[in-house]
Amino acid sequence: MKQVDFENGNIPMNILQTAFPMFVAQVINLLYSIVDRIYIGRIPGEGTSALGGIGLCFPIITMIAAFTNLYGSGGAPLCAMARGRGDEKRAEFIMNTSFRLEVLTGLILIVIGQLLAVPILRAFGASDGSLVYALPYLRIYLCGTVFSMIATGMNPFINAQGFSQIGMISVTIGAVSNIILDPIFIFVFGMGIRGAAIATVISQALSAAFVVNFLLDRSRPEGPGRYPGRLPEAILTLHIAPNDFLPDPKTSLDIAGLGASAFVMQFTNSLVTIVCNNVLMSTGGEIYVSVMTILSSLRQVLEVPALALVEGASPVMSYNYGARHPDRVRRSILIMTLAEGIYTLMGWLLVEHFPSMFLGVFTGDAELITRALPALHLYFRAFVFMSLQHCGQSTFKALGKKKRTIFFSLFRKVIIVVPLTIMLPHMFGLGVYGVFIAEPISNVIGGSASFVTMLLTILPELKGMECADDARE
């Protein structure tokens, strides 16, 4: 398992070496939730209703992911930039601070979630019928919050050290466990939706255990290196001292400041889901909440390669920005943009021409598929513009431009999607389909604005860095 050389390696190969394991990891990670939905959708007699109940839990699950990314996505670029400057001690301190924040926040979220589960689900649009499915799933899922946050939140730090294959293995352990345990708990043990949640928690715990084991400081005198028949040893390690577990305030603010963009993005995704579920419940009924559950699940599946590309380019850009290699940063942006643009175009064409095949993965309910078909075509109409949003946001985050990353996260979701989701169903006779049209409109406007701003601000800065370095020489 060779470590990626961010400073001297070939740029396309660097991105590929980082992106491919991350792609595999994200595909497998997505199976945590997707496999749940596929199995739950096929529970005899109650699959469609149970699927809608799970959809009501999405905002809470997304909020947990938001806090996870606040520290993981915020700390990893700072860690990579410190490594680029040659400051390994600072990089390790940033990673340890992020770990402490993940654990402490996870414990707090468990307590709050368990105490307020019912009123939160009610606020998100749960009826008495859907609460029967949503509440037991959520209560069990919350028990694994710390495991989930460690497994997902610490993976970027493994990638920032150049060990993307290790990150892939950590996710694979959890997801394969989930795929195996899901049918056992749901159907063999007859636990239904509760079984799906139990399987997920166990799987997250296994993944978290692997991540912590890899990053733990073993104080070996030989130092980092390769051992016969063993995984490579981490360059940056965790130092877990029970008497000194409070995170450093200043470093925590730096991490949260940069991670705020990822937090806002996830949090606003949760807000959009809440608004969508409420509007769909009032304009179309519970079946359209199930439709949105399927479409959002499909979008997550299709976004995986795209997100892997930008996440693969991120540590390459962060490291070389810290090392003052502007040309390598510029080439990373170009390769990332071209690759994701081509992929999102191909993804849209597949969905447009084979919609029933994609919908059939999630449900066998003929009525649900009939309702979902027109919504799917509307929802994915401007999918290719997501590449512009991803590339602009990823570049800002990788280079530590926190204000711009936060603004464009808010701009697309809060300023565009939420108002359109509320207004469009009551305009032009669109009805329930107005909810699904809001997504492509936001992709075009938000994606274009983010990408153009990135070009107009980042490229001149890189040119200035290049000129300054040439002048010093």
Side-chain angles (χ1 to χ4, degrees), residues 154-198:
M154 297 310 295
N155 236 331
F157 293 95
I158 296 176
N159 297 325
Q161 297 177 58
F163 296 116
S164 53
Q165 292 181 350
I166 300 296
M168 177 184 71
I169 292 173
S170 73
V171 178
T172 303
I173 289 172
V176 170
S177 301
N178 195 44
I179 294 170
I180 295 171
L181 294 175
D182 248 335
I184 294 174
F185 280 96
I186 293 173
F187 301 112
V188 177
F189 293 164
M191 299 181 71
I193 203 166
R194 290 177 175 82
I198 293 171

Side-chain angles (χ1 to χ4, degrees), residues 49-72:
S49 297
L51 200 58
I54 293 298
L56 293 167
C57 297
F58 282 178
I60 301 171
I61 294 172
T62 305
M63 286 180 185
I64 293 172
F67 281 101
T68 303
N69 288 331
L70 177 64
Y71 311 127

Side-chain angles (χ1 to χ4, degrees), residues 6-86:
F6 292 136
E7 185 164 6
N8 301 305
N10 177 269
I11 292 290
M13 188 57 65
N14 278 174
I15 294 176
L16 182 62
Q17 286 176 321
T18 308
F20 181 73
M22 292 177 76
F23 162 70
V24 176
Q26 288 188 30
V27 167
I28 297 170
N29 189 41
L30 189 61
L31 292 176
Y32 272 130
S33 54
I34 297 298
V35 167
D36 280 350
R37 296 169 213 175
I38 292 173
Y39 283 125
I40 288 168
R42 284 169 168 72
I43 296 176
E46 56 183 26
T48 298
S49 297
L51 200 58
I54 293 298
L56 293 167
C57 297
F58 282 178
I60 301 171
I61 294 172
T62 305
M63 286 180 185
I64 293 172
F67 281 101
T68 303
N69 288 331
L70 177 64
Y71 311 127
S73 295
L78 294 175
C79 178
M81 282 187 271
R83 290 196 65 231
R85 294 191 300 268

Side-chain angles (χ1 to χ4, degrees), residues 10 19 34 38 42 54 61 86 92 97 158 161 167 177 184 219 314 320 327 342-343 348 382 393 400 411 413 455 461:
N10 177 269
I34 297 298
I38 292 173
R42 284 169 168 72
I54 293 298
I61 294 172
E92 186 169 88
T97 302
I158 296 176
Q161 297 177 58
S177 301
I184 294 174
S219 300
S314 183
N320 284 286
D327 184 57
I342 293 169
Y343 168 74
W348 171 71
Q393 287 283 111
F411 180 68
K413 292 292 187 180
L455 293 179
E461 179 187 349

Side-chain angles (χ1 to χ4, degrees), residues 364-384:
D365 188 323
E367 182 186 359
L368 186 56
I369 292 176
T370 300
R371 301 284 185 97
L373 276 170
L376 179 143
H377 290 297
L378 293 171
Y379 191 75
F380 284 95
R381 188 57 52 87
F383 184 65
V384 69

Side-chain angles (χ1 to χ4, degrees), residues 27 64 87 199 269 331 414:
V27 167
I64 293 172
D87 192 349
N269 282 341
R331 279 185 284 159
V414 177

Side-chain angles (χ1 to χ4, degrees), residues 134-462:
L135 185 59
Y137 183 89
L138 180 62
R139 286 200 184 281
I140 296 171
Y141 183 93
L142 285 170
C143 294
T145 299
V146 172
F147 302 139
S148 172
M149 293 183 70
I150 291 174
T152 306
M154 297 310 295
N155 236 331
F157 293 95
I158 296 176
N159 297 325
Q161 297 177 58
F163 296 116
S164 53
Q165 292 181 350
I166 300 296
M168 177 184 71
I169 292 173
S170 73
V171 178
T172 303
I173 289 172
V176 170
S177 301
N178 195 44
I179 294 170
I180 295 171
L181 294 175
D182 248 335
I184 294 174
F185 280 96
I186 293 173
F187 301 112
V188 177
F189 293 164
M191 299 181 71
I193 203 166
R194 290 177 175 82
I198 293 171
T200 299
V201 171
I202 294 173
S203 304
Q204 289 169 341
L206 293 173
S207 185
F210 178 86
V211 169
V212 171
N213 181 66
F214 175 74
L215 292 174
L216 271 179
D217 176 21
R218 296 172 180 81
S219 300
R220 291 174 179 150
E222 297 91 341
R226 187 182 298 275
Y227 289 77
R230 300 179 63 171
L231 295 173
E233 189 177 347
I235 296 169
L236 311 177
T237 58
L238 289 176
H239 307 278
I240 301 177
N243 60 337
D244 184 29
F245 205 75
L246 291 178
D248 175 67
K250 185 180 183 303
T251 304
S252 298
L253 288 175
D254 290 340
I255 291 168
L258 185 54
S261 61
F263 175 83
V264 169
M265 187 178 295
Q266 289 283 357
F267 198 85
T268 51
N269 282 341
S270 179
L271 174 63
V272 169
T273 303
I274 295 167
V275 173
C276 285
N277 284 344
N278 277 280
V279 175
L280 288 170
M281 193 73 79
S282 62
T283 57
E286 288 187 15
I287 192 167
Y288 279 99
V289 175
S290 297
V291 168
M292 181 58 85
T293 301
I294 291 174
L295 296 189
S296 60
S297 300
L298 178 56
R299 189 197 69 218
Q300 285 181 289
V301 172
L302 291 175
E303 276 188 320
V304 165
L307 292 174
L309 278 168
V310 296
E311 291 300 321
S314 183
V316 181
M317 290 188 288
S318 296
Y319 185 98
N320 284 286
Y321 186 72
R324 296 187 69 86
H325 298 315
D327 184 57
R328 292 177 67 83
V329 177
R330 195 161 41 235
R331 279 185 284 159
S332 298
I333 295 172
L334 175 62
I335 293 165
M336 171 181 67
T337 303
L338 289 175
E340 181 158 356
I342 293 169
Y343 168 74
T344 50
L345 177 61
M346 292 173 58
W348 171 71
L349 290 172
L350 285 172
V351 169
E352 189 69 16
H353 288 89
F354 306 101
S356 297
M357 178 185 73
F358 286 103
L359 294 174
V361 173
F362 296 95
T363 182
D365 188 323
E367 182 186 359
L368 186 56
I369 292 176
T370 300
R371 301 284 185 97
L373 276 170
L376 179 143
H377 290 297
L378 293 171
Y379 191 75
F380 284 95
R381 188 57 52 87
F383 184 65
V384 69
F385 282 86
M386 281 300 298
S387 63
L388 301 182
Q389 180 77 24
H390 289 159
C391 292
Q393 287 283 111
S394 179
T395 302
F396 288 139
K397 184 185 75 174
L399 305 189
K401 312 300 182 184
K402 52 190 175 186
K403 290 182 180 178
R404 287 170 226 167
T405 51
I406 293 171
F407 172 77
F408 285 109
S409 295
L410 289 170
F411 180 68
R412 191 172 84 86
K413 292 292 187 180
V414 177
I415 298 176
I416 302 176
V417 177
V418 171
L420 288 178
T421 299
I422 295 170
M423 293 187 299
L424 286 178
H426 308 289
M427 299 171 64
F428 314 114
L430 292 172
V432 70
Y433 294 109
V435 176
F436 302 101
I437 294 174
E439 180 72 12
I441 293 175
S442 74
N443 286 346
V444 173
I445 299 174
S448 299
S450 174
F451 189 74
V452 170
T453 303
M454 183 271 291
L455 293 179
L456 294 177
T457 58
I458 298 300
L459 295 187
E461 179 187 349
L462 295 176

